[in-house]
Amino acid sequence: MNKLTLCTVGVAWMLGSCSLIPEYQRPAAPTPAQYPQGGVYSLAQAGTLTQNADWQQLFHDPALQRLIGEALVNNRDLRVAALNVQAFQAQYRIQRADLFPAISATGAGKRQKLPRGVTGTGKSAITSNYSATLGLSAYELDLFGRVRSLSEQAMLTYLGTEEARRSVQLSLVANVANAYLTWRADQELLALAEQTLVANDHSWQLTSRSKSAGKASALEVVQARTAVESTRASVARYERQVAQDLNNLTLLVGGPVDDNLPSRPLADELVARVPAGLPSDLLQRRPDILQAEYQLQAANANIGAARAAFFPSVTLTANAGSTSKELSGLFKGGSGTWTFQPQINLPIFNAGSLRASLDYARLQKDITVAQYEKSIQTAFQEVADGLAARQTFNDQLDAQRDFVAANQNYYDLAQHRYRSGVDSNLTFLDAQRALFSSQQALIVDRLAQLVAEVNLYTALGGAWGDGHASIARLMQ
């Protein structure tokens, strides 16, 4: 009978391959087949990186590369994301275990004294009973794929959390890069403000001496001082921003950051140009899109579990073992026992609960379809914005450099004419303000261009080719 029981369980388990999960079909991408062309997008898709490049090839500043490496080890958000992956992996293993029968061995012994009034013999008695059993309890035969559907849903949820971890990692790389570039830009702005403050203070001192000699008016002295005080305010503002930038970078890196890191000045070559590729590549590159699709597939699998709940469920409890009144006779001939207890549960009336559960599962799938499509649309928009920024920032920086050169010429001429007594101090102060403002704008524009390139790298999904390899390893 033991062999019959095991054969019954084995056949039922093999029959449990039926699945009521709807056939999954990837929704069509709700975006154009190509990125915008022409105009501000002219030559915007060209790049210098290869398709297998990662962030180490993207950033050419050794200090930045070191900070990103430290952040990938120490950042707490990334650590939480990695732990979430392990947690969902454990949940998947728990759910998957329900596909197999849980076999347990049990040994028990009992000795009991009965009073003489109970034994009927006028004497008290001591009874003994010992047993040893091996069997399974309440194992569900997955005839309609309910347990298998739940297991598949747990697996897909787990794979989605792995993509969420990759998304956090990609965002971390971009955030560290942007924070570092912002820190360097504010340092340059602070140095520029300090240099301008020295020049403005020198001009104020000269104007004050000219007033004492009767060559300048009180108004000109006041005007020169306003330039000094305005620049002092800029110095204080940039000092605050540099300190806050360092604090932000320290938080992202997850450890102390040396504020005297050797670095290269902000320049176009600090960040390599990434190739744009095709819109369809986003479906394989971007971890947030892959995560949204895994969530969609998980919702699809949940429909199968909701459908299977309408059908009968069969559970088995079976065991075999030995029992005896004496411990020494527990495994002797004639002491064997067995139990086989199948149970079937057929839903008849549940006030529409099962129907509502199925409707809820279908609505959840519709929601995840919309979320998946939105993630594709968002990705397409971010890439298109990045491509537009690439070309326009090049043009803007060229114009801003020419503007700085023109203001430098204006400043030099105004200073010469003021020192020669041809023009008033007002023209010279105006030239100082114009030069300082244009130099500030050039640093800000250069920072914006580098940040836009980093954001385009993020929008394209980061290091290409890593996603499918990691997922293939997870699914093995």
Side-chain angles (χ1 to χ4, degrees):
M1 188 65 189
N2 294 346
K3 293 182 179 179
L4 177 61
T5 301
L6 294 176
C7 290
T8 303
V9 173
V11 171
W13 181 55
M14 288 187 290
L15 291 175
S17 59
C18 173
S19 175
L20 299 179
I21 300 176
E23 181 181 358
Y24 174 75
Q25 294 182 349
R26 174 185 287 177
T31 53
Q34 293 182 341
Y35 293 120
Q37 306 288 326
V40 297
Y41 302 97
S42 300
L43 304 178
Q45 298 190 30
T48 58
L49 288 182
T50 63
Q51 288 292 329
N52 294 322
D54 60 10
W55 60 266
Q56 293 176 326
Q57 285 75 48
L58 178 70
F59 304 112
H60 297 163
D61 189 329
L64 175 55
Q65 291 180 351
R66 191 178 76 183
L67 290 174
I68 292 176
E70 292 176 359
L72 293 177
V73 175
N74 299 323
N75 183 267
R76 293 334 188 250
D77 289 335
L78 185 58
R79 189 174 299 176
V80 169
L83 292 174
N84 281 334
V85 173
Q86 297 180 26
F88 276 94
Q89 182 189 40
Q91 289 184 352
Y92 162 61
R93 289 161 53 196
I94 293 171
Q95 185 63 56
R96 185 173 180 269
D98 289 342
L99 290 171
F100 306 95
I103 300 176
S104 61
T106 303
K110 179 181 178 182
R111 287 177 61 83
Q112 183 180 14
K113 179 181 179 181
L114 299 177
R116 58 187 177 183
V118 175
T119 61
T121 62
K123 296 182 179 180
S124 62
I126 297 177
T127 62
S128 301
N129 185 53
Y130 300 93
S131 64
T133 59
L134 179 69
L136 55 91
S137 176
Y139 169 61
E140 180 177 350
L141 300 180
D142 197 24
L143 300 178
F144 300 99
R146 187 188 73 86
V147 178
R148 191 172 301 275
S149 297
L150 293 176
S151 177
E152 183 168 348
Q153 179 199 24
M155 181 193 67
L156 292 167
T157 303
Y158 156 53
L159 295 178
T161 58
E162 168 61 21
E163 292 303 325
R165 184 202 62 79
R166 289 184 59 231
S167 183
V168 172
Q169 177 174 315
L170 178 61
S171 298
L172 177 61
V173 171
N175 290 338
V176 171
N178 290 338
Y180 175 82
L181 294 172
T182 301
W183 181 42
R184 289 306 188 196
D186 285 339
Q187 286 179 322
E188 291 191 11
L189 289 168
L190 175 59
L192 174 63
E194 290 173 340
Q195 294 170 5
T196 304
L197 177 59
V198 172
N200 288 348
D201 187 69
H202 180 66
S203 176
W204 176 38
Q205 298 298 334
L206 289 178
T207 304
S208 298
R209 287 196 294 268
S210 296
K211 178 181 178 296
S212 300
K215 296 181 180 179
S217 65
L219 178 61
E220 290 175 324
V221 175
V222 172
Q223 289 172 336
R225 184 177 178 181
T226 59
V228 172
E229 300 304 332
S230 175
T231 311
R232 282 182 58 199
S234 297
V235 169
R237 181 172 69 253
Y238 292 133
E239 286 177 338
R240 178 178 65 253
Q241 290 179 190
V242 167
Q244 292 175 344
D245 292 340
L246 183 59
N247 293 336
N248 183 39
L249 191 57
T250 300
L251 175 63
L252 290 171
V253 172
V257 176
D258 185 3
D259 57 357
N260 293 316
L261 279 174
S263 66
R264 301 166 58 181
L266 290 182
D268 298 348
E269 62 270 13
L270 275 183
V271 180
R273 293 167 66 91
V274 295
L278 300 173
S280 58
D281 293 340
L282 292 178
L283 303 182
Q284 289 80 36
R285 288 185 189 173
R286 295 226 349 175
D288 59 335
I289 294 179
L290 293 174
Q291 179 188 5
E293 185 169 15
Y294 280 127
Q295 291 172 342
L296 174 57
Q297 292 173 323
N300 191 63
N302 194 43
I303 293 178
R307 285 177 171 178
F310 284 86
F311 295 91
S313 62
V314 178
T315 58
L316 295 180
T317 297
N319 60 67
S322 176
T323 183
S324 173
K325 291 184 177 180
E326 302 291 337
L327 183 61
S328 59
L330 188 59
F331 297 103
K332 291 183 178 180
S335 63
T337 63
W338 58 266
T339 302
F340 180 64
Q341 184 180 351
Q343 180 178 342
I344 185 169
N345 179 30
L346 176 64
I348 297 177
F349 176 75
N350 49 54
S353 174
L354 294 179
R355 174 60 61 183
S357 297
L358 179 59
D359 291 343
Y360 176 78
R362 287 171 173 167
L363 289 171
Q364 287 298 113
K365 180 183 177 181
D366 292 340
I367 292 173
T368 53
V369 167
Q371 291 172 337
Y372 172 71
E373 293 174 340
K374 178 62 182 297
S375 66
I376 296 176
Q377 291 175 333
T378 301
F380 186 87
Q381 181 228 333
E382 290 176 353
V383 174
D385 288 347
L387 296 178
R390 168 175 288 178
Q391 183 63 37
T392 53
F393 270 125
N394 289 339
D395 297 339
Q396 184 174 340
L397 279 171
D398 290 340
Q400 191 63 36
R401 291 188 186 99
D402 293 340
F403 186 47
V404 170
N407 275 291
Q408 184 67 56
N409 190 34
Y410 173 39
Y411 173 80
D412 294 339
L413 290 174
Q415 185 181 43
H416 177 71
R417 291 172 65 86
Y418 170 65
R419 298 287 172 80
S420 301
V422 177
D423 277 338
S424 67
N425 189 47
L426 181 61
T427 302
F428 176 56
L429 290 175
D430 180 68
Q432 282 182 319
R433 283 191 292 266
L435 178 60
F436 181 46
S437 177
S438 63
Q439 289 172 329
Q440 286 178 311
L442 179 59
I443 296 174
V444 171
D445 289 347
R446 189 182 295 119
L447 170 64
Q449 182 217 20
L450 295 174
V451 169
E453 201 66 40
V454 174
N455 291 341
L456 179 58
Y457 169 80
T458 307
L460 290 169
W464 306 283
D466 292 345
H468 284 309
S470 62
I471 294 304
R473 290 193 297 269
L474 288 170
M475 297 186 69
Q476 289 177 351

